Structures are given as C-alpha cells and as structure tokens.
Amino acid sequence: QVQLVESGGGLVQAGGSLRHACAASGFTFRTYAMGWYRQAPGKERELVATISPSGIKYYADSVKGRFTISRDNAKNTLYLQMNSLKPEDTAVYYCARLTRGAPDYWGQGTQVTVSS
C-alpha cells in the first residue's frame, strides 16, 4: 500500500532553517508528481510547492525564494528545505502524492513552529 512517512520539522527561531523529508513506498515514486502542503491553526490546508516527475518545480508566492523542493528518485524520497523562516510559516506540513494535479495520498504531517 502507498505510504508517505515524514521526518524533520520542529521548533526554530525566525530566520532559521529546517529540512523536511518524506519517504515514499508502495508505488513507483519516480513516475508521480509530489507536493508539500501546510495547514496553520484555524486556516485551510494550502499548497506550498510541487515537483513533477521530470523535476519541474512550482512554489507558492509566500515561500518563493526561501523554500526549495527536491526529490531523490533513487531513494524514493521527497525533500523540502526551508530557509529564512518566518513566524507565519508555523503550521503542520504534509507531503502528498499527486495524481492529475491533485493530492491522493498524504503523509502523517509534521509540526513546524517558528518563534519570533
């Protein structure tokens, strides 16, 4: 079965960096687009970044220039490098497999808290 297991996250001061990883199994990782989403308290889940099977990347305006999405198809792992973090980046972050542009499987979510 499809599994997405996240690691990373935590507590960091504003201006700091964190790196998320998402280990995928149960499907042919290299053939799927993947994405990172986040959900802040009291807000809807929002798209952060996506990466196509060929490596084409998309970023939300709010993270452009600060976050980097990447993938290692040999390791079946998706990454999100987050730099210059701001308090408004505080949220639960989720990785997702994308099918026809929409998420169909989710990771368990990891908390990121950025203190000011």
Side-chain angles (χ1 to χ4, degrees):
Q1 69 279 21
V2 173
Q3 283 193 313
L4 300 171
V5 179
E6 299 174 35
S7 59
L11 174 64
V12 65
Q13 288 189 330
S17 298
L18 285 173
R19 190 193 198 204
H20 284 289
C22 174
S25 61
F27 64 101
T28 308
F29 178 76
R30 68 180 183 277
T31 67
Y32 280 85
M34 299 293 295
W36 288 98
Y37 292 73
R38 67 186 181 186
Q39 187 166 18
K43 295 188 177 181
E44 293 187 353
R45 194 172 298 188
E46 64 175 0
L47 175 64
V48 173
T50 64
I51 186 167
S52 73
S54 62
I56 298 172
K57 302 174 185 181
Y58 165 84
Y59 296 97
D61 287 344
S62 58
V63 306
K64 204 172 291 183
R66 300 187 297 120
F67 290 11
T68 302
I69 189 171
S70 62
R71 64 192 301 161
D72 185 335
N73 289 336
K75 295 182 178 180
N76 289 347
T77 302
L78 177 73
Y79 300 99
L80 183 68
Q81 178 67 42
M82 305 185 295
N83 297 330
S84 302
L85 283 161
K86 305 175 181 180
E88 52 263 43
D89 295 317
T90 295
V92 178
Y93 284 72
Y94 300 89
C95 67
R97 189 184 81 168
L98 305 179
T99 297
R100 290 184 289 278
D104 58 358
Y105 286 92
W106 297 94
Q108 80 276 17
T110 53
Q111 178 70 46
V112 170
T113 302
V114 184
S115 62
S116 56

